[in-house]
Amino acid sequence: MEMQRAVHIFESPDTIKVHLAGQPVWIEELDHANGMATVQVGSRPANTMTVSVDRLQEGE
């Protein structure tokens, strides 16, 4: 995914599905300067990780 699309998803009032390696994630924070995203994996708020935005995929 490109950073601009990640920003759009992050700022959207709608729920847009995003996946990381086949697992659903929720974008928590974006680091524009480094192209990174902090995401919540699944439904557990404590399960977060920081990954390159290009590893994120939009979709089902």
Side-chain angles (χ1 to χ4, degrees), residues 1-10 18 27 30-32 35-37 52-58:
M1 174 179 301
E2 294 183 7
M3 178 60 79
Q4 188 61 32
R5 182 61 183 149
V7 169
H8 180 262
I9 291 170
F10 181 71
V18 177
I27 300 173
L30 292 168
D31 177 352
H32 299 266
M36 304 295 282
S52 175
V53 169
D54 64 6
R55 292 185 57 199
L56 301 176
Q57 296 181 329
E58 183 178 354

Side-chain angles (χ1 to χ4, degrees), residues 23-53:
Q23 297 227 11
V25 296
W26 183 263
I27 300 173
E28 297 282 326
E29 185 177 341
L30 292 168
D31 177 352
H32 299 266
N34 296 304
M36 304 295 282
T38 300
V39 297
Q40 175 185 315
V41 181
S43 60
R44 296 190 312 193
N47 190 11
T48 62
M49 58 191 315
T50 301
V51 297
S52 175
V53 169

